[in-house]
PDB file of all heavy atoms in Angstrom:
ATOM      1  N   VAL A1593      32.715 -43.109  81.656  1.00 98.00           N
ATOM      2  CA  VAL A1593      33.000 -41.819  82.270  1.00 98.00           C
ATOM      3  C   VAL A1593      33.350 -40.811  81.197  1.00 98.00           C
ATOM      4  O   VAL A1593      34.142 -41.123  80.275  1.00 98.00           O
ATOM      5  CB  VAL A1593      34.151 -41.915  83.307  1.00 98.00           C
ATOM      6  CG1 VAL A1593      34.554 -40.524  83.778  1.00 98.00           C
ATOM      7  CG2 VAL A1593      33.746 -42.776  84.460  1.00 98.00           C
ATOM      8  N   ARG A1594      32.690 -39.673  81.234  1.00 98.00           N
ATOM      9  CA  ARG A1594      32.988 -38.597  80.294  1.00 98.00           C
ATOM     10  C   ARG A1594      33.097 -37.282  81.048  1.00 98.00           C
ATOM     11  O   ARG A1594      32.191 -36.959  81.844  1.00 98.00           O
ATOM     12  CB  ARG A1594      31.843 -38.391  79.295  1.00 98.00           C
ATOM     13  CG  ARG A1594      31.834 -39.242  78.062  1.00 98.00           C
ATOM     14  CD  ARG A1594      30.835 -38.631  77.054  1.00 98.00           C
ATOM     15  NE  ARG A1594      30.836 -39.364  75.814  1.00 98.00           N
ATOM     16  CZ  ARG A1594      30.077 -40.394  75.514  1.00 98.00           C
ATOM     17  NH1 ARG A1594      29.214 -40.822  76.442  1.00 98.00           N
ATOM     18  NH2 ARG A1594      30.138 -40.991  74.340  1.00 98.00           N
ATOM     19  N   LEU A1595      34.180 -36.562  80.813  1.00 98.00           N
ATOM     20  CA  LEU A1595      34.290 -35.200  81.355  1.00 98.00           C
ATOM     21  C   LEU A1595      34.478 -34.272  80.145  1.00 98.00           C
ATOM     22  O   LEU A1595      35.164 -34.560  79.219  1.00 98.00           O
ATOM     23  CB  LEU A1595      35.552 -35.100  82.266  1.00 98.00           C
ATOM     24  CG  LEU A1595      35.599 -36.045  83.469  1.00 98.00           C
ATOM     25  CD1 LEU A1595      36.886 -35.841  84.229  1.00 98.00           C
ATOM     26  CD2 LEU A1595      34.414 -35.773  84.413  1.00 98.00           C
ATOM     27  N   ALA A1596      33.765 -33.169  80.187  1.00 97.00           N
ATOM     28  CA  ALA A1596      33.893 -32.150  79.163  1.00 97.00           C
ATOM     29  C   ALA A1596      34.524 -30.891  79.776  1.00 97.00           C
ATOM     30  O   ALA A1596      33.892 -30.244  80.616  1.00 97.00           O
ATOM     31  CB  ALA A1596      32.525 -31.860  78.527  1.00 97.00           C
ATOM     32  N   LEU A1597      35.725 -30.601  79.393  1.00 97.00           N
ATOM     33  CA  LEU A1597      36.437 -29.420  79.931  1.00 97.00           C
ATOM     34  C   LEU A1597      36.349 -28.293  78.943  1.00 97.00           C
ATOM     35  O   LEU A1597      36.550 -28.504  77.735  1.00 97.00           O
ATOM     36  CB  LEU A1597      37.913 -29.757  80.208  1.00 97.00           C
ATOM     37  CG  LEU A1597      38.228 -30.996  81.032  1.00 97.00           C
ATOM     38  CD1 LEU A1597      39.717 -31.085  81.297  1.00 97.00           C
ATOM     39  CD2 LEU A1597      37.430 -31.001  82.320  1.00 97.00           C
ATOM     40  N   THR A1598      36.049 -27.103  79.406  1.00 96.00           N
ATOM     41  CA  THR A1598      36.057 -25.955  78.498  1.00 96.00           C
ATOM     42  C   THR A1598      36.835 -24.793  79.182  1.00 96.00           C
ATOM     43  O   THR A1598      36.932 -24.727  80.407  1.00 96.00           O
ATOM     44  CB  THR A1598      34.646 -25.451  78.173  1.00 96.00           C
ATOM     45  OG1 THR A1598      33.953 -25.210  79.408  1.00 96.00           O
ATOM     46  CG2 THR A1598      33.852 -26.454  77.348  1.00 96.00           C
ATOM     47  N   VAL A1599      37.313 -23.953  78.310  1.00 95.00           N
ATOM     48  CA  VAL A1599      38.064 -22.778  78.812  1.00 95.00           C
ATOM     49  C   VAL A1599      37.920 -21.666  77.789  1.00 95.00           C
ATOM     50  O   VAL A1599      37.781 -21.912  76.575  1.00 95.00           O
ATOM     51  CB  VAL A1599      39.546 -23.129  79.066  1.00 95.00           C
ATOM     52  CG1 VAL A1599      40.323 -23.347  77.742  1.00 95.00           C
ATOM     53  CG2 VAL A1599      40.246 -22.091  79.897  1.00 95.00           C
ATOM     54  N   ALA A1600      37.981 -20.460  78.236  1.00 94.00           N
ATOM     55  CA  ALA A1600      37.982 -19.297  77.319  1.00 94.00           C
ATOM     56  C   ALA A1600      39.365 -19.256  76.652  1.00 94.00           C
ATOM     57  O   ALA A1600      40.399 -19.500  77.284  1.00 94.00           O
ATOM     58  CB  ALA A1600      37.720 -18.001  78.065  1.00 94.00           C
ATOM     59  N   LEU A1601      39.405 -18.917  75.362  1.00 94.00           N
ATOM     60  CA  LEU A1601      40.678 -18.857  74.634  1.00 94.00           C
ATOM     61  C   LEU A1601      41.550 -17.722  75.152  1.00 94.00           C
ATOM     62  O   LEU A1601      42.754 -17.771  75.134  1.00 94.00           O
ATOM     63  CB  LEU A1601      40.398 -18.692  73.139  1.00 94.00           C
ATOM     64  CG  LEU A1601      41.399 -19.282  72.213  1.00 94.00           C
ATOM     65  CD1 LEU A1601      41.470 -20.777  72.294  1.00 94.00           C
ATOM     66  CD2 LEU A1601      41.077 -18.860  70.750  1.00 94.00           C
ATOM     67  N   LEU A1602      40.907 -16.650  75.548  1.00 94.00           N
ATOM     68  CA  LEU A1602      41.581 -15.537  76.217  1.00 94.00           C
ATOM     69  C   LEU A1602      40.939 -15.328  77.580  1.00 94.00           C
ATOM     70  O   LEU A1602      39.707 -15.464  77.687  1.00 94.00           O
ATOM     71  CB  LEU A1602      41.421 -14.224  75.434  1.00 94.00           C
ATOM     72  CG  LEU A1602      42.188 -14.133  74.108  1.00 94.00           C
ATOM     73  CD1 LEU A1602      41.889 -12.793  73.425  1.00 94.00           C
ATOM     74  CD2 LEU A1602      43.678 -14.304  74.317  1.00 94.00           C
ATOM     75  N   ARG A1603      41.720 -15.007  78.537  1.00 93.00           N
ATOM     76  CA  ARG A1603      41.148 -14.748  79.878  1.00 93.00           C
ATOM     77  C   ARG A1603      40.141 -13.620  79.772  1.00 93.00           C
ATOM     78  O   ARG A1603      40.404 -12.591  79.186  1.00 93.00           O
ATOM     79  CB  ARG A1603      42.277 -14.375  80.826  1.00 93.00           C
ATOM     80  CG  ARG A1603      41.874 -14.457  82.295  1.00 93.00           C
ATOM     81  CD  ARG A1603      42.851 -13.714  83.186  1.00 93.00           C
ATOM     82  NE  ARG A1603      44.224 -14.174  83.043  1.00 93.00           N
ATOM     83  CZ  ARG A1603      44.765 -15.186  83.708  1.00 93.00           C
ATOM     84  NH1 ARG A1603      44.047 -15.853  84.555  1.00 93.00           N
ATOM     85  NH2 ARG A1603      46.023 -15.507  83.505  1.00 93.00           N
ATOM     86  N   ARG A1604      38.966 -13.833  80.306  1.00 90.00           N
ATOM     87  CA  ARG A1604      37.906 -12.859  80.218  1.00 90.00           C
ATOM     88  C   ARG A1604      38.208 -11.594  80.979  1.00 90.00           C
ATOM     89  O   ARG A1604      38.863 -11.653  82.061  1.00 90.00           O
ATOM     90  CB  ARG A1604      36.597 -13.469  80.734  1.00 90.00           C
ATOM     91  CG  ARG A1604      36.073 -14.577  79.866  1.00 90.00           C
ATOM     92  CD  ARG A1604      35.523 -13.999  78.537  1.00 90.00           C
ATOM     93  NE  ARG A1604      34.887 -15.052  77.763  1.00 90.00           N
ATOM     94  CZ  ARG A1604      35.441 -15.627  76.683  1.00 90.00           C
ATOM     95  NH1 ARG A1604      36.620 -15.230  76.277  1.00 90.00           N
ATOM     96  NH2 ARG A1604      34.823 -16.578  76.027  1.00 90.00           N
ATOM     97  N   GLY A1605      37.751 -10.478  80.453  1.00 89.00           N
ATOM     98  CA  GLY A1605      38.036  -9.192  81.073  1.00 89.00           C
ATOM     99  C   GLY A1605      36.794  -8.478  81.585  1.00 89.00           C
ATOM    100  O   GLY A1605      35.859  -9.141  82.037  1.00 89.00           O
ATOM    101  N   GLU A1606      36.799  -7.173  81.458  1.00 83.00           N
ATOM    102  CA  GLU A1606      35.737  -6.400  82.049  1.00 83.00           C
ATOM    103  C   GLU A1606      34.390  -6.647  81.348  1.00 83.00           C
ATOM    104  O   GLU A1606      33.342  -6.652  81.966  1.00 83.00           O
ATOM    105  CB  GLU A1606      36.054  -4.872  81.946  1.00 83.00           C
ATOM    106  CG  GLU A1606      37.404  -4.514  82.546  1.00 83.00           C
ATOM    107  CD  GLU A1606      38.610  -4.953  81.740  1.00 83.00           C
ATOM    108  OE1 GLU A1606      38.509  -4.879  80.465  1.00 83.00           O
ATOM    109  OE2 GLU A1606      39.608  -5.383  82.308  1.00 83.00           O
ATOM    110  N   TRP A1607      34.448  -6.751  80.011  1.00 86.00           N
ATOM    111  CA  TRP A1607      33.154  -6.840  79.283  1.00 86.00           C
ATOM    112  C   TRP A1607      32.545  -8.242  79.352  1.00 86.00           C
ATOM    113  O   TRP A1607      31.435  -8.386  79.771  1.00 86.00           O
ATOM    114  CB  TRP A1607      33.402  -6.405  77.839  1.00 86.00           C
ATOM    115  CG  TRP A1607      32.359  -6.952  76.914  1.00 86.00           C
ATOM    116  CD1 TRP A1607      32.487  -8.018  76.036  1.00 86.00           C
ATOM    117  CD2 TRP A1607      30.980  -6.542  76.814  1.00 86.00           C
ATOM    118  NE1 TRP A1607      31.308  -8.238  75.386  1.00 86.00           N
ATOM    119  CE2 TRP A1607      30.357  -7.384  75.845  1.00 86.00           C
ATOM    120  CE3 TRP A1607      30.189  -5.568  77.440  1.00 86.00           C
ATOM    121  CZ2 TRP A1607      29.035  -7.242  75.464  1.00 86.00           C
ATOM    122  CZ3 TRP A1607      28.855  -5.451  77.060  1.00 86.00           C
ATOM    123  CH2 TRP A1607      28.299  -6.293  76.098  1.00 86.00           C
TER     124      TRP A1607
END
Side-chain angles (χ1 to χ4, degrees):
Chain A
V1593 171
R1594 272 194 177 92
L1595 301 178
L1597 309 186
T1598 54
V1599 72
L1601 209 65
L1602 290 179
R1603 195 196 304 274
R1604 293 287 185 256
E1606 304 73 38
W1607 157 256

